[in-house]
Amino acid sequence: WYQRRVHGDYQQVYKVDFTQMPRGPRKHLKRIYAPSHWMLDKLSGIWAPKPSSGPHKLRECLPLMILVRNRLKYALNYREVMLIVKDKAGNIKIDNKVRRDPHYPVGFNDVVTIEKTGDFFRLLYDMKGRFVLHKIVANEAKYKLCKVVRRGTGANSIPYILTHDGRTIRFPHPDIKANDTIKFNLEENKIDECLKFETGNMVMATGGNNIGRYGAVLKTEHHPASFDIVHVKEANGNTFATRSQNLFVIGKGHQPSITLPKGKPYKLSILEEKTERLQKKSQKVVTVSYTHL
């Protein structure tokens, strides 16, 4: 800093040297600032794997390293993950493409293929908004659902749509609009079917406080110059409301186009979770006492 005289008084002026500042985006991520749905423990180190730039945002994805090491338990540490992912054989495919970047961002509805073990997974949300690897069969791994984020017209008046996973598809069907979902064939790279965002169809919340919940669309409230609010009814009759941008169409009517994780198709309240937990605990106590007898 240096001093300068203003109206007879001296003032301290701080001079910033911009040449000493780091260039570009941050390349590191502290463990305590990692998204909570990654479910990383706090005491295993200082750093967390920072996802690479890709089709999904940092806080809406799961790095390939965490998927292999923490979820699938195929590796014990970073070095083993590198050996698996970097192998020339192309051990891991995301959406039918070999990915060798251990920080590659895997997001909602992405299909993970591991050919050596014959396993196929789809990344979905559970009722608490956490990523869950849902095991699927080989036939279901041939397609994925993509939400249409925007529809536009490019150079030479070519129509296109942009999906939630960064795909740009040219010459789509005229009926496909924003917020609709397309059933995308990963082997032939074409659209097989369109699921419209309309009343009666099944949707899943992928954002907001109700993330992970799914049900049928009851009605849509249109608010000019604000957000459209959609009311969704779950299987047990409970309803919740959220913004239309937070919803992802997953099926026509009450029939989903993809298989969903096991468990109850509705969210339990805190009291219902407590009673269910106590019932399981009491059943364990009874079985243990009978074995001792």
mmCIF file of all heavy atoms in Angstrom, residues 106-153:
data_model
loop_
_atom_site.group_PDB
_atom_site.id
_atom_site.type_symbol
_atom_site.label_atom_id
_atom_site.label_comp_id
_atom_site.label_asym_id
_atom_site.label_seq_id
_atom_site.Cartn_x
_atom_site.Cartn_y
_atom_site.Cartn_z
ATOM 1 N N VAL A 106 -20.800 -37.988 -13.700
ATOM 2 C CA VAL A 106 -21.921 -38.869 -14.033
ATOM 3 C C VAL A 106 -23.169 -38.287 -13.384
ATOM 4 O O VAL A 106 -23.158 -37.987 -12.192
ATOM 5 C CB VAL A 106 -21.674 -40.310 -13.536
ATOM 6 C CG1 VAL A 106 -22.768 -41.244 -14.028
ATOM 7 C CG2 VAL A 106 -20.302 -40.795 -13.993
ATOM 8 N N GLY A 107 -24.237 -38.112 -14.164
ATOM 9 C CA GLY A 107 -25.414 -37.428 -13.655
ATOM 10 C C GLY A 107 -26.679 -38.260 -13.730
ATOM 11 O O GLY A 107 -26.654 -39.461 -14.027
ATOM 12 N N PHE A 108 -27.795 -37.607 -13.467
ATOM 13 C CA PHE A 108 -29.101 -38.259 -13.392
ATOM 14 C C PHE A 108 -29.444 -38.963 -14.699
ATOM 15 O O PHE A 108 -29.290 -38.405 -15.776
ATOM 16 C CB PHE A 108 -30.178 -37.221 -13.045
ATOM 17 C CG PHE A 108 -31.558 -37.789 -12.949
ATOM 18 C CD1 PHE A 108 -31.931 -38.596 -11.893
ATOM 19 C CD2 PHE A 108 -32.506 -37.515 -13.929
ATOM 20 C CE1 PHE A 108 -33.199 -39.112 -11.807
ATOM 21 C CE2 PHE A 108 -33.783 -38.023 -13.847
ATOM 22 C CZ PHE A 108 -34.128 -38.833 -12.778
ATOM 23 N N ASN A 109 -29.872 -40.212 -14.602
ATOM 24 C CA ASN A 109 -30.328 -41.053 -15.710
ATOM 25 C C ASN A 109 -29.202 -41.548 -16.611
ATOM 26 O O ASN A 109 -29.473 -42.141 -17.658
ATOM 27 C CB ASN A 109 -31.385 -40.332 -16.570
ATOM 28 C CG ASN A 109 -32.618 -41.179 -16.779
ATOM 29 O OD1 ASN A 109 -32.578 -42.208 -17.431
ATOM 30 N ND2 ASN A 109 -33.722 -40.746 -16.203
ATOM 31 N N ASP A 110 -27.943 -41.306 -16.242
ATOM 32 C CA ASP A 110 -26.827 -41.837 -17.036
ATOM 33 C C ASP A 110 -26.730 -43.348 -16.847
ATOM 34 O O ASP A 110 -26.974 -43.870 -15.750
ATOM 35 C CB ASP A 110 -25.510 -41.185 -16.627
ATOM 36 C CG ASP A 110 -25.375 -39.781 -17.194
ATOM 37 O OD1 ASP A 110 -26.277 -39.366 -17.930
ATOM 38 O OD2 ASP A 110 -24.370 -39.113 -16.894
ATOM 39 N N VAL A 111 -26.346 -44.055 -17.906
ATOM 40 C CA VAL A 111 -26.227 -45.515 -17.882
ATOM 41 C C VAL A 111 -24.747 -45.877 -17.753
ATOM 42 O O VAL A 111 -23.927 -45.463 -18.581
ATOM 43 C CB VAL A 111 -26.825 -46.142 -19.159
ATOM 44 C CG1 VAL A 111 -26.619 -47.650 -19.153
ATOM 45 C CG2 VAL A 111 -28.306 -45.805 -19.261
ATOM 46 N N VAL A 112 -24.412 -46.630 -16.713
ATOM 47 C CA VAL A 112 -23.041 -47.069 -16.461
ATOM 48 C C VAL A 112 -22.936 -48.541 -16.854
ATOM 49 O O VAL A 112 -23.693 -49.373 -16.346
ATOM 50 C CB VAL A 112 -22.657 -46.883 -14.977
ATOM 51 C CG1 VAL A 112 -21.208 -47.297 -14.738
ATOM 52 C CG2 VAL A 112 -22.886 -45.438 -14.552
ATOM 53 N N THR A 113 -21.988 -48.854 -17.749
ATOM 54 C CA THR A 113 -21.804 -50.217 -18.242
ATOM 55 C C THR A 113 -20.409 -50.703 -17.862
ATOM 56 O O THR A 113 -19.422 -50.018 -18.141
ATOM 57 C CB THR A 113 -21.967 -50.282 -19.768
ATOM 58 O OG1 THR A 113 -23.234 -49.730 -20.123
ATOM 59 C CG2 THR A 113 -21.874 -51.713 -20.270
ATOM 60 N N ILE A 114 -20.336 -51.867 -17.235
ATOM 61 C CA ILE A 114 -19.059 -52.507 -16.902
ATOM 62 C C ILE A 114 -19.089 -53.893 -17.545
ATOM 63 O O ILE A 114 -19.713 -54.823 -17.026
ATOM 64 C CB ILE A 114 -18.852 -52.590 -15.378
ATOM 65 C CG1 ILE A 114 -18.963 -51.188 -14.779
ATOM 66 C CG2 ILE A 114 -17.496 -53.210 -15.049
ATOM 67 C CD1 ILE A 114 -19.005 -51.143 -13.289
ATOM 68 N N GLU A 115 -18.447 -54.023 -18.696
ATOM 69 C CA GLU A 115 -18.579 -55.231 -19.509
ATOM 70 C C GLU A 115 -17.886 -56.444 -18.885
ATOM 71 O O GLU A 115 -18.344 -57.570 -19.036
ATOM 72 C CB GLU A 115 -18.025 -54.962 -20.912
ATOM 73 C CG GLU A 115 -18.870 -53.979 -21.712
ATOM 74 C CD GLU A 115 -18.336 -53.759 -23.109
ATOM 75 O OE1 GLU A 115 -17.183 -54.172 -23.371
ATOM 76 O OE2 GLU A 115 -19.057 -53.176 -23.938
ATOM 77 N N LYS A 116 -16.773 -56.238 -18.179
ATOM 78 C CA LYS A 116 -16.034 -57.375 -17.614
ATOM 79 C C LYS A 116 -16.832 -58.104 -16.539
ATOM 80 O O LYS A 116 -16.715 -59.308 -16.374
ATOM 81 C CB LYS A 116 -14.692 -56.900 -17.045
ATOM 82 C CG LYS A 116 -13.641 -56.634 -18.111
ATOM 83 C CD LYS A 116 -12.275 -56.433 -17.508
ATOM 84 C CE LYS A 116 -11.223 -56.264 -18.595
ATOM 85 N NZ LYS A 116 -9.860 -56.079 -18.031
ATOM 86 N N THR A 117 -17.644 -57.354 -15.809
ATOM 87 C CA THR A 117 -18.484 -57.976 -14.775
ATOM 88 C C THR A 117 -19.902 -58.232 -15.267
ATOM 89 O O THR A 117 -20.671 -58.912 -14.588
ATOM 90 C CB THR A 117 -18.541 -57.079 -13.522
ATOM 91 O OG1 THR A 117 -19.067 -55.797 -13.893
ATOM 92 C CG2 THR A 117 -17.157 -56.897 -12.931
ATOM 93 N N GLY A 118 -20.257 -57.656 -16.427
ATOM 94 C CA GLY A 118 -21.606 -57.829 -16.955
ATOM 95 C C GLY A 118 -22.655 -57.060 -16.192
ATOM 96 O O GLY A 118 -23.828 -57.453 -16.171
ATOM 97 N N ASP A 119 -22.252 -55.957 -15.566
ATOM 98 C CA ASP A 119 -23.178 -55.150 -14.763
ATOM 99 C C ASP A 119 -23.592 -53.907 -15.526
ATOM 100 O O ASP A 119 -22.794 -53.282 -16.234
ATOM 101 C CB ASP A 119 -22.534 -54.746 -13.435
ATOM 102 C CG ASP A 119 -22.331 -55.924 -12.506
ATOM 103 O OD1 ASP A 119 -23.093 -56.899 -12.632
ATOM 104 O OD2 ASP A 119 -21.410 -55.878 -11.667
ATOM 105 N N PHE A 120 -24.871 -53.535 -15.341
ATOM 106 C CA PHE A 120 -25.418 -52.320 -15.933
ATOM 107 C C PHE A 120 -26.149 -51.561 -14.833
ATOM 108 O O PHE A 120 -26.932 -52.151 -14.072
ATOM 109 C CB PHE A 120 -26.387 -52.639 -17.077
ATOM 110 C CG PHE A 120 -25.785 -53.473 -18.170
ATOM 111 C CD1 PHE A 120 -25.885 -54.858 -18.143
ATOM 112 C CD2 PHE A 120 -25.107 -52.891 -19.225
ATOM 113 C CE1 PHE A 120 -25.340 -55.638 -19.142
ATOM 114 C CE2 PHE A 120 -24.555 -53.658 -20.234
ATOM 115 C CZ PHE A 120 -24.664 -55.032 -20.193
ATOM 116 N N PHE A 121 -25.889 -50.259 -14.742
ATOM 117 C CA PHE A 121 -26.514 -49.436 -13.710
ATOM 118 C C PHE A 121 -27.083 -48.166 -14.331
ATOM 119 O O PHE A 121 -26.596 -47.682 -15.353
ATOM 120 C CB PHE A 121 -25.499 -49.041 -12.633
ATOM 121 C CG PHE A 121 -24.852 -50.202 -11.928
ATOM 122 C CD1 PHE A 121 -23.623 -50.683 -12.350
ATOM 123 C CD2 PHE A 121 -25.469 -50.817 -10.852
ATOM 124 C CE1 PHE A 121 -23.019 -51.750 -11.713
ATOM 125 C CE2 PHE A 121 -24.873 -51.878 -10.207
ATOM 126 C CZ PHE A 121 -23.649 -52.349 -10.633
ATOM 127 N N ARG A 122 -28.139 -47.644 -13.683
ATOM 128 C CA ARG A 122 -28.679 -46.330 -14.040
ATOM 129 C C ARG A 122 -28.639 -45.464 -12.791
ATOM 130 O O ARG A 122 -29.055 -45.896 -11.715
ATOM 131 C CB ARG A 122 -30.117 -46.456 -14.557
ATOM 132 C CG ARG A 122 -30.630 -45.158 -15.199
ATOM 133 C CD ARG A 122 -32.100 -45.264 -15.578
ATOM 134 N NE ARG A 122 -32.356 -46.322 -16.531
ATOM 135 C CZ ARG A 122 -32.176 -46.219 -17.836
ATOM 136 N NH1 ARG A 122 -31.716 -45.110 -18.337
ATOM 137 N NH2 ARG A 122 -32.441 -47.235 -18.629
ATOM 138 N N LEU A 123 -28.136 -44.252 -12.931
ATOM 139 C CA LEU A 123 -28.002 -43.356 -11.782
ATOM 140 C C LEU A 123 -29.308 -42.598 -11.574
ATOM 141 O O LEU A 123 -29.729 -41.821 -12.437
ATOM 142 C CB LEU A 123 -26.841 -42.381 -12.012
ATOM 143 C CG LEU A 123 -26.258 -41.723 -10.767
ATOM 144 C CD1 LEU A 123 -25.610 -42.754 -9.861
ATOM 145 C CD2 LEU A 123 -25.238 -40.666 -11.144
ATOM 146 N N LEU A 124 -29.949 -42.854 -10.424
ATOM 147 C CA LEU A 124 -31.220 -42.223 -10.093
ATOM 148 C C LEU A 124 -31.140 -41.624 -8.690
ATOM 149 O O LEU A 124 -30.116 -41.731 -8.012
ATOM 150 C CB LEU A 124 -32.361 -43.252 -10.162
ATOM 151 C CG LEU A 124 -32.621 -43.900 -11.529
ATOM 152 C CD1 LEU A 124 -33.639 -45.017 -11.390
ATOM 153 C CD2 LEU A 124 -33.104 -42.872 -12.540
ATOM 154 N N TYR A 125 -32.231 -40.998 -8.266
ATOM 155 C CA TYR A 125 -32.326 -40.451 -6.910
ATOM 156 C C TYR A 125 -33.180 -41.369 -6.044
ATOM 157 O O TYR A 125 -34.133 -41.990 -6.523
ATOM 158 C CB TYR A 125 -32.973 -39.063 -6.924
ATOM 159 C CG TYR A 125 -32.130 -37.970 -7.515
ATOM 160 C CD1 TYR A 125 -32.505 -37.336 -8.693
ATOM 161 C CD2 TYR A 125 -30.954 -37.557 -6.897
ATOM 162 C CE1 TYR A 125 -31.739 -36.323 -9.242
ATOM 163 C CE2 TYR A 125 -30.173 -36.547 -7.440
ATOM 164 C CZ TYR A 125 -30.575 -35.933 -8.609
ATOM 165 O OH TYR A 125 -29.806 -34.947 -9.143
ATOM 166 N N ASP A 126 -32.835 -41.447 -4.739
ATOM 167 C CA ASP A 126 -33.731 -42.106 -3.801
ATOM 168 C C ASP A 126 -34.674 -41.061 -3.207
ATOM 169 O O ASP A 126 -34.631 -39.884 -3.575
ATOM 170 C CB ASP A 126 -32.952 -42.862 -2.721
ATOM 171 C CG ASP A 126 -32.137 -41.936 -1.834
ATOM 172 O OD1 ASP A 126 -32.178 -40.702 -2.051
ATOM 173 O OD2 ASP A 126 -31.451 -42.435 -0.917
ATOM 174 N N MET A 127 -35.523 -41.485 -2.280
ATOM 175 C CA MET A 127 -36.539 -40.580 -1.740
ATOM 176 C C MET A 127 -35.958 -39.449 -0.891
ATOM 177 O O MET A 127 -36.651 -38.488 -0.580
ATOM 178 C CB MET A 127 -37.550 -41.383 -0.893
ATOM 179 C CG MET A 127 -38.571 -42.118 -1.726
ATOM 180 S SD MET A 127 -39.675 -40.978 -2.575
ATOM 181 C CE MET A 127 -40.594 -42.100 -3.603
ATOM 182 N N LYS A 128 -34.687 -39.569 -0.512
ATOM 183 C CA LYS A 128 -34.045 -38.527 0.283
ATOM 184 C C LYS A 128 -33.154 -37.625 -0.570
ATOM 185 O O LYS A 128 -32.383 -36.821 -0.045
ATOM 186 C CB LYS A 128 -33.225 -39.154 1.416
ATOM 187 C CG LYS A 128 -34.094 -39.821 2.479
ATOM 188 C CD LYS A 128 -33.247 -40.334 3.611
ATOM 189 C CE LYS A 128 -34.109 -40.976 4.678
ATOM 190 N NZ LYS A 128 -34.949 -39.988 5.382
ATOM 191 N N GLY A 129 -33.226 -37.795 -1.908
ATOM 192 C CA GLY A 129 -32.477 -36.929 -2.794
ATOM 193 C C GLY A 129 -31.026 -37.310 -2.966
ATOM 194 O O GLY A 129 -30.222 -36.492 -3.424
ATOM 195 N N ARG A 130 -30.657 -38.543 -2.616
ATOM 196 C CA ARG A 130 -29.276 -38.998 -2.779
ATOM 197 C C ARG A 130 -29.167 -39.852 -4.034
ATOM 198 O O ARG A 130 -30.108 -40.559 -4.391
ATOM 199 C CB ARG A 130 -28.831 -39.809 -1.558
ATOM 200 C CG ARG A 130 -28.901 -39.034 -0.257
ATOM 201 C CD ARG A 130 -28.706 -39.923 0.936
ATOM 202 N NE ARG A 130 -29.747 -40.940 1.038
ATOM 203 C CZ ARG A 130 -30.037 -41.601 2.152
ATOM 204 N NH1 ARG A 130 -29.373 -41.345 3.256
ATOM 205 N NH2 ARG A 130 -30.984 -42.506 2.165
ATOM 206 N N PHE A 131 -28.008 -39.800 -4.671
ATOM 207 C CA PHE A 131 -27.788 -40.625 -5.859
ATOM 208 C C PHE A 131 -27.739 -42.097 -5.465
ATOM 209 O O PHE A 131 -27.103 -42.476 -4.482
ATOM 210 C CB PHE A 131 -26.479 -40.248 -6.553
ATOM 211 C CG PHE A 131 -26.616 -39.095 -7.498
ATOM 212 C CD1 PHE A 131 -25.833 -37.964 -7.355
ATOM 213 C CD2 PHE A 131 -27.534 -39.129 -8.533
ATOM 214 C CE1 PHE A 131 -25.953 -36.902 -8.234
ATOM 215 C CE2 PHE A 131 -27.663 -38.080 -9.411
ATOM 216 C CZ PHE A 131 -26.870 -36.956 -9.261
ATOM 217 N N VAL A 132 -28.411 -42.936 -6.251
ATOM 218 C CA VAL A 132 -28.402 -44.377 -6.019
ATOM 219 C C VAL A 132 -28.142 -45.064 -7.359
ATOM 220 O O VAL A 132 -28.684 -44.668 -8.392
ATOM 221 C CB VAL A 132 -29.732 -44.852 -5.387
ATOM 222 C CG1 VAL A 132 -30.921 -44.503 -6.267
ATOM 223 C CG2 VAL A 132 -29.717 -46.335 -5.104
ATOM 224 N N LEU A 133 -27.267 -46.075 -7.327
ATOM 225 C CA LEU A 133 -26.963 -46.852 -8.528
ATOM 226 C C LEU A 133 -27.982 -47.982 -8.626
ATOM 227 O O LEU A 133 -27.915 -48.958 -7.878
ATOM 228 C CB LEU A 133 -25.540 -47.412 -8.473
ATOM 229 C CG LEU A 133 -24.430 -46.477 -8.942
ATOM 230 C CD1 LEU A 133 -23.080 -47.067 -8.625
ATOM 231 C CD2 LEU A 133 -24.544 -46.201 -10.423
ATOM 232 N N HIS A 134 -28.904 -47.844 -9.553
ATOM 233 C CA HIS A 134 -29.968 -48.838 -9.724
ATOM 234 C C HIS A 134 -29.555 -49.849 -10.788
ATOM 235 O O HIS A 134 -29.261 -49.474 -11.929
ATOM 236 C CB HIS A 134 -31.270 -48.144 -10.124
ATOM 237 C CG HIS A 134 -32.398 -49.075 -10.432
ATOM 238 N ND1 HIS A 134 -32.867 -50.003 -9.526
ATOM 239 C CD2 HIS A 134 -33.147 -49.232 -11.560
ATOM 240 C CE1 HIS A 134 -33.859 -50.680 -10.078
ATOM 241 N NE2 HIS A 134 -34.043 -50.228 -11.306
ATOM 242 N N LYS A 135 -29.489 -51.126 -10.408
ATOM 243 C CA LYS A 135 -29.045 -52.161 -11.338
ATOM 244 C C LYS A 135 -30.154 -52.464 -12.342
ATOM 245 O O LYS A 135 -31.324 -52.634 -11.981
ATOM 246 C CB LYS A 135 -28.665 -53.423 -10.580
ATOM 247 C CG LYS A 135 -27.833 -54.395 -11.380
ATOM 248 C CD LYS A 135 -27.186 -55.457 -10.502
ATOM 249 C CE LYS A 135 -26.239 -56.308 -11.307
ATOM 250 N NZ LYS A 135 -25.540 -57.322 -10.480
ATOM 251 N N ILE A 136 -29.773 -52.541 -13.629
ATOM 252 C CA ILE A 136 -30.741 -52.794 -14.696
ATOM 253 C C ILE A 136 -30.234 -53.933 -15.580
ATOM 254 O O ILE A 136 -29.085 -54.375 -15.460
ATOM 255 C CB ILE A 136 -30.971 -51.522 -15.556
ATOM 256 C CG1 ILE A 136 -29.642 -51.017 -16.139
ATOM 257 C CG2 ILE A 136 -31.660 -50.447 -14.743
ATOM 258 C CD1 ILE A 136 -29.771 -49.814 -17.034
ATOM 259 N N VAL A 137 -31.113 -54.407 -16.469
ATOM 260 C CA VAL A 137 -30.749 -55.493 -17.390
ATOM 261 C C VAL A 137 -30.139 -54.891 -18.656
ATOM 262 O O VAL A 137 -30.190 -53.680 -18.893
ATOM 263 C CB VAL A 137 -31.980 -56.358 -17.729
ATOM 264 C CG1 VAL A 137 -32.483 -57.071 -16.483
ATOM 265 C CG2 VAL A 137 -33.087 -55.519 -18.348
ATOM 266 N N ALA A 138 -29.580 -55.767 -19.509
ATOM 267 C CA ALA A 138 -28.869 -55.305 -20.699
ATOM 268 C C ALA A 138 -29.799 -54.585 -21.678
ATOM 269 O O ALA A 138 -29.407 -53.606 -22.326
ATOM 270 C CB ALA A 138 -28.189 -56.484 -21.384
ATOM 271 N N ASN A 139 -31.050 -55.060 -21.812
ATOM 272 C CA ASN A 139 -31.984 -54.432 -22.754
ATOM 273 C C ASN A 139 -32.321 -53.004 -22.344
ATOM 274 O O ASN A 139 -32.503 -52.128 -23.196
ATOM 275 C CB ASN A 139 -33.266 -55.264 -22.864
ATOM 276 C CG ASN A 139 -33.035 -56.563 -23.618
ATOM 277 O OD1 ASN A 139 -32.128 -56.644 -24.443
ATOM 278 N ND2 ASN A 139 -33.838 -57.580 -23.322
ATOM 279 N N GLU A 140 -32.428 -52.773 -21.034
ATOM 280 C CA GLU A 140 -32.765 -51.435 -20.564
ATOM 281 C C GLU A 140 -31.573 -50.486 -20.658
ATOM 282 O O GLU A 140 -31.747 -49.262 -20.682
ATOM 283 C CB GLU A 140 -33.261 -51.491 -19.113
ATOM 284 C CG GLU A 140 -33.936 -50.199 -18.665
ATOM 285 C CD GLU A 140 -34.385 -50.235 -17.224
ATOM 286 O OE1 GLU A 140 -34.516 -51.339 -16.666
ATOM 287 O OE2 GLU A 140 -34.606 -49.146 -16.654
ATOM 288 N N ALA A 141 -30.363 -51.037 -20.716
ATOM 289 C CA ALA A 141 -29.165 -50.203 -20.808
ATOM 290 C C ALA A 141 -28.953 -49.640 -22.214
ATOM 291 O O ALA A 141 -28.035 -48.853 -22.426
ATOM 292 C CB ALA A 141 -27.935 -51.008 -20.389
ATOM 293 N N LYS A 142 -29.811 -50.021 -23.160
ATOM 294 C CA LYS A 142 -29.655 -49.544 -24.532
ATOM 295 C C LYS A 142 -30.254 -48.159 -24.745
ATOM 296 O O LYS A 142 -30.066 -47.573 -25.807
ATOM 297 C CB LYS A 142 -30.316 -50.529 -25.504
ATOM 298 C CG LYS A 142 -29.623 -51.894 -25.555
ATOM 299 C CD LYS A 142 -30.353 -52.829 -26.499
ATOM 300 C CE LYS A 142 -29.687 -54.204 -26.535
ATOM 301 N NZ LYS A 142 -30.410 -55.144 -27.424
ATOM 302 N N TYR A 143 -30.996 -47.648 -23.759
ATOM 303 C CA TYR A 143 -31.601 -46.328 -23.920
ATOM 304 C C TYR A 143 -31.543 -45.557 -22.607
ATOM 305 O O TYR A 143 -31.307 -46.125 -21.539
ATOM 306 C CB TYR A 143 -33.055 -46.453 -24.392
ATOM 307 C CG TYR A 143 -33.980 -47.101 -23.393
ATOM 308 C CD1 TYR A 143 -34.639 -46.350 -22.422
ATOM 309 C CD2 TYR A 143 -34.206 -48.470 -23.415
ATOM 310 C CE1 TYR A 143 -35.491 -46.936 -21.508
ATOM 311 C CE2 TYR A 143 -35.064 -49.068 -22.512
ATOM 312 C CZ TYR A 143 -35.702 -48.295 -21.553
ATOM 313 O OH TYR A 143 -36.540 -48.884 -20.641
ATOM 314 N N LYS A 144 -31.763 -44.276 -22.698
ATOM 315 C CA LYS A 144 -31.857 -43.420 -21.519
ATOM 316 C C LYS A 144 -32.899 -42.333 -21.771
ATOM 317 O O LYS A 144 -33.282 -42.084 -22.924
ATOM 318 C CB LYS A 144 -30.504 -42.789 -21.187
ATOM 319 C CG LYS A 144 -30.044 -41.740 -22.186
ATOM 320 C CD LYS A 144 -28.750 -41.063 -21.756
ATOM 321 C CE LYS A 144 -28.938 -40.238 -20.504
ATOM 322 N NZ LYS A 144 -27.762 -39.410 -20.195
ATOM 323 N N LEU A 145 -33.356 -41.711 -20.705
ATOM 324 C CA LEU A 145 -34.311 -40.611 -20.806
ATOM 325 C C LEU A 145 -33.566 -39.287 -20.693
ATOM 326 O O LEU A 145 -32.710 -39.119 -19.815
ATOM 327 C CB LEU A 145 -35.374 -40.719 -19.703
ATOM 328 C CG LEU A 145 -36.213 -41.996 -19.686
ATOM 329 C CD1 LEU A 145 -37.252 -41.925 -18.580
ATOM 330 C CD2 LEU A 145 -36.899 -42.222 -21.026
ATOM 331 N N CYS A 146 -33.886 -38.353 -21.579
ATOM 332 C CA CYS A 146 -33.251 -37.040 -21.597
ATOM 333 C C CYS A 146 -34.333 -35.964 -21.559
ATOM 334 O O CYS A 146 -35.253 -35.990 -22.377
ATOM 335 C CB CYS A 146 -32.385 -36.850 -22.842
ATOM 336 S SG CYS A 146 -31.063 -38.048 -23.021
ATOM 337 N N LYS A 147 -34.202 -35.037 -20.638
ATOM 338 C CA LYS A 147 -35.155 -33.928 -20.552
ATOM 339 C C LYS A 147 -34.766 -32.841 -21.540
ATOM 340 O O LYS A 147 -33.592 -32.458 -21.647
ATOM 341 C CB LYS A 147 -35.175 -33.368 -19.136
ATOM 342 C CG LYS A 147 -36.139 -32.199 -18.960
ATOM 343 C CD LYS A 147 -36.101 -31.660 -17.555
ATOM 344 C CE LYS A 147 -37.003 -30.439 -17.418
ATOM 345 N NZ LYS A 147 -36.997 -29.888 -16.057
ATOM 346 N N VAL A 148 -35.742 -32.315 -22.270
ATOM 347 C CA VAL A 148 -35.504 -31.234 -23.228
ATOM 348 C C VAL A 148 -35.461 -29.915 -22.465
ATOM 349 O O VAL A 148 -36.462 -29.494 -21.877
ATOM 350 C CB VAL A 148 -36.588 -31.196 -24.320
ATOM 351 C CG1 VAL A 148 -36.323 -30.060 -25.294
ATOM 352 C CG2 VAL A 148 -36.649 -32.526 -25.052
ATOM 353 N N VAL A 149 -34.297 -29.286 -22.455
ATOM 354 C CA VAL A 149 -34.122 -28.025 -21.737
ATOM 355 C C VAL A 149 -34.540 -26.841 -22.600
ATOM 356 O O VAL A 149 -35.159 -25.883 -22.115
ATOM 357 C CB VAL A 149 -32.644 -27.871 -21.301
ATOM 358 C CG1 VAL A 149 -32.426 -26.539 -20.596
ATOM 359 C CG2 VAL A 149 -32.242 -29.020 -20.393
ATOM 360 N N ARG A 150 -34.208 -26.906 -23.892
ATOM 361 C CA ARG A 150 -34.499 -25.773 -24.771
ATOM 362 C C ARG A 150 -34.683 -26.265 -26.191
ATOM 363 O O ARG A 150 -34.085 -27.254 -26.603
ATOM 364 C CB ARG A 150 -33.346 -24.766 -24.712
ATOM 365 C CG ARG A 150 -33.619 -23.472 -25.461
ATOM 366 C CD ARG A 150 -32.523 -22.442 -25.253
ATOM 367 N NE ARG A 150 -31.315 -22.768 -26.005
ATOM 368 C CZ ARG A 150 -30.143 -23.030 -25.468
ATOM 369 N NH1 ARG A 150 -30.035 -23.054 -24.142
ATOM 370 N NH2 ARG A 150 -29.084 -23.292 -26.213
ATOM 371 N N ARG A 151 -35.515 -25.558 -26.922
ATOM 372 C CA ARG A 151 -35.688 -25.810 -28.354
ATOM 373 C C ARG A 151 -35.378 -24.515 -29.087
ATOM 374 O O ARG A 151 -35.803 -23.431 -28.667
ATOM 375 C CB ARG A 151 -37.119 -26.265 -28.653
ATOM 376 C CG ARG A 151 -37.339 -26.632 -30.122
ATOM 377 C CD ARG A 151 -38.785 -26.961 -30.427
ATOM 378 N NE ARG A 151 -38.923 -27.231 -31.845
ATOM 379 C CZ ARG A 151 -38.930 -28.439 -32.392
ATOM 380 N NH1 ARG A 151 -38.810 -29.500 -31.625
ATOM 381 N NH2 ARG A 151 -39.048 -28.601 -33.687
ATOM 382 N N GLY A 152 -34.620 -24.626 -30.180
ATOM 383 C CA GLY A 152 -34.240 -23.415 -30.894
ATOM 384 C C GLY A 152 -33.961 -23.692 -32.356
ATOM 385 O O GLY A 152 -34.129 -24.803 -32.861
ATOM 386 N N THR A 153 -33.530 -22.641 -33.038
ATOM 387 C CA THR A 153 -33.182 -22.723 -34.457
ATOM 388 C C THR A 153 -31.759 -22.214 -34.633
ATOM 389 O O THR A 153 -31.435 -21.094 -34.208
ATOM 390 C CB THR A 153 -34.145 -21.882 -35.303
ATOM 391 O OG1 THR A 153 -35.486 -22.296 -35.036
ATOM 392 C CG2 THR A 153 -33.861 -22.062 -36.788
#
